[in-house]
């Protein structure tokens, strides 16, 4: 019986792994093409030759030393890093209150958070631009994008609230019995147990800010010193539209940090996203 089952089991193994390999290639091949093209010469890029004749590692140095590229990097790190920090710090207390406190209007507050998630940013872009540009004179900077993150983010609040619901109330009650106030309970008990959820929220916010094109286009387009990588890359592509090897190299440099960050924090990210749907 075992000898008869082996061919069937082998075919099943090949079929399953063949589909997995095909799916992996479907997602990986565009990145391979991007990387190989970035290492080609200008004459070879986008020709029928898919493998570089000579490995032009200098393309990355050329892009890195392009005037303004380091400024775009610094601006993007400021926007994504500070924005993520502000979002996490401001969203955790709100999510904790919605998940663990019982107060009048709690359901209404949650409905308002969900409603804000469904509100497209394009709906409020005109009044918000007039406020930041005309009233506060902050056009040409990234502060109109960073400062609002200090007041929480609807998606981050909802995701954290869903994760905090998975933490048993008994841990919080035990901390209160030991004399901990709500702030100390949040800092000493809830935050260590909520690390996966916080990591997921932080990664979502970091990726969103790093890849944001719409916001910098609205507020910082008239000041090249405030451009981010996503907006600066469009300008770089326009200036080097015939140098596809340099354009691909610039794209790799923009994508590499978020890809590396995702793989380093993949375990916490997946755990945080998975557990948010355990309780409603």
């Amino acid at each position: 019986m075992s000898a008869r089952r082996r061919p069937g089991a082998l075919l099943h193994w090949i079929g399953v792994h063949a589909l997995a390999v095909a799916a992996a290639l479907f997602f990986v091949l565009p990145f391979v093409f991007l990387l190989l093209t970035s290492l080609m010469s200008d004459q070879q890029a986008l020709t029928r030759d898919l493998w570089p004749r000579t490995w032009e590692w200098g393309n990355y140095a050329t892009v890195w030393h392009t005037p303004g590229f380091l400024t775009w990097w610094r601006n993007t790190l400021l926007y994504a890093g500070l924005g993520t920090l502000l979002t996490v710090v401001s969203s955790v207390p709100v999510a904790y209150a919605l998940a663990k406190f019982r107060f009048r209007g709690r359901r209404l507050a949650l409905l308002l958070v969900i409603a804000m998630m469904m509100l497209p940013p394009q709906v409020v872009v005109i009044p918000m631009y007039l406020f930041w540009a005309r009233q506060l004179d902050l056009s040409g900077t990234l502060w109109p994008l960073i400062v609002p993150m200090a007041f929480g983010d609807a998606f981050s609040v909802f995701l954290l609230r869903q994760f905090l619901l998975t933490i048993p109330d008994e841990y919080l009650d035990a901390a209160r019995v030991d004399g901990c106030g709500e702030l100390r309970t949040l800092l000493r008990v809830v935050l260590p147990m909520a690390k996966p959820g916080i990591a997921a929220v932080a990664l979502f916010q970091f990726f969103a800010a790093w890849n944001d094109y719409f916001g910098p286009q609205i507020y910082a387009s008239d000041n090249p010193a405030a451009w981010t990588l996503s907006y600066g890359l469009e300008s770089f592509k326009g200036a080097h539209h015939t140098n596809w090897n340099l354009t691909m190299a610039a794209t790799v440099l923009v994508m590499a940090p978020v890809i590396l960050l995702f793989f380093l924090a993949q375990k916490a990210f997946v755990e945080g996203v998975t557990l948010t749907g355990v309780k409603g």
Side-chain angles (χ1 to χ4, degrees):
M1 291 294 293
S2 59
R4 293 180 181 178
R5 290 178 180 177
R6 284 179 183 175
L10 180 61
L11 290 175
H12 175 74
W13 186 90
I14 293 175
V16 171
H17 286 77
L19 290 175
V21 170
L25 290 176
F26 179 79
F27 290 102
V28 170
L29 284 179
F31 295 98
V32 174
F33 173 78
L34 181 72
L35 181 61
L36 292 178
T37 305
S38 70
L39 294 171
M40 293 180 180
S41 63
D42 184 35
Q43 294 76 19
Q44 187 188 359
L46 297 188
T47 63
R48 294 184 177 180
D49 296 332
L50 300 179
W51 194 261
R53 301 191 194 101
T54 57
W55 297 88
E56 303 290 342
W57 296 100
N59 291 341
Y60 290 96
T62 301
V63 172
W64 189 259
H65 292 97
T66 299
F69 195 82
L70 286 178
T71 302
W72 304 342
W73 258 84
R74 288 194 295 267
N75 293 337
T76 306
L77 286 175
L78 174 66
Y79 176 27
L82 184 57
T84 300
L85 177 63
L86 291 175
T87 298
V88 171
V89 171
S90 59
S91 298
V92 167
V94 180
Y96 176 60
L98 291 176
K100 297 302 181 182
F101 290 175
R102 298 294 180 267
F103 57 90
R104 182 178 298 178
R106 186 170 69 100
R107 289 185 175 273
L108 178 60
L110 181 59
L111 288 176
L112 289 176
V113 170
I114 296 175
M116 292 301 297
M117 290 172 54
M118 299 179 180
L119 184 67
Q122 292 80 2
V123 173
V124 297
V125 66
I126 294 178
M128 291 300 296
Y129 177 81
L130 293 176
F131 172 75
W132 289 107
R134 300 289 179 84
Q135 302 298 325
L136 300 181
D137 194 24
L138 288 176
S139 63
T141 70
L142 293 174
W143 293 114
L145 301 174
I146 297 175
V147 172
M149 296 182 186
F151 300 94
D153 173 71
F155 175 75
S156 301
V157 169
F158 180 78
L159 193 66
L160 281 170
R161 183 255 181 190
Q162 294 299 106
F163 186 89
L164 294 179
L165 287 175
T166 65
I167 299 178
D169 293 337
E170 289 77 10
Y171 290 103
L172 280 65
D173 294 337
R176 294 178 183 124
V177 169
D178 289 339
C180 292
E182 293 299 338
L183 180 60
R184 191 175 180 185
T185 301
L186 173 62
L187 296 177
R188 296 293 183 88
V189 179
V190 176
L191 289 186
M193 300 180 68
K195 285 182 179 179
I198 294 174
V201 166
L203 286 174
F204 272 125
Q205 185 60 46
F206 187 88
F207 293 161
W210 187 276
N211 297 321
D212 186 20
Y213 178 85
F214 181 74
Q217 182 188 31
I218 296 297
Y219 293 105
S221 59
D222 58 342
N223 181 16
W227 287 359
T228 59
L229 283 171
S230 57
Y231 191 77
L233 184 61
E234 181 67 24
S235 173
F236 184 92
K237 186 178 70 173
H240 300 82
H241 63 279
T242 58
N243 306 110
W244 286 104
N245 56 335
L246 297 181
T247 301
M248 298 297 185
T251 305
V252 170
L253 290 176
V254 173
M255 295 170 54
V258 291
I259 294 176
L260 180 62
L261 180 62
F262 175 77
F263 279 107
L264 290 177
Q266 184 178 13
K267 182 178 179 180
F269 177 77
V270 173
E271 183 179 355
V273 173
T274 302
L275 293 179
T276 54
V278 174
K279 294 179 71 174

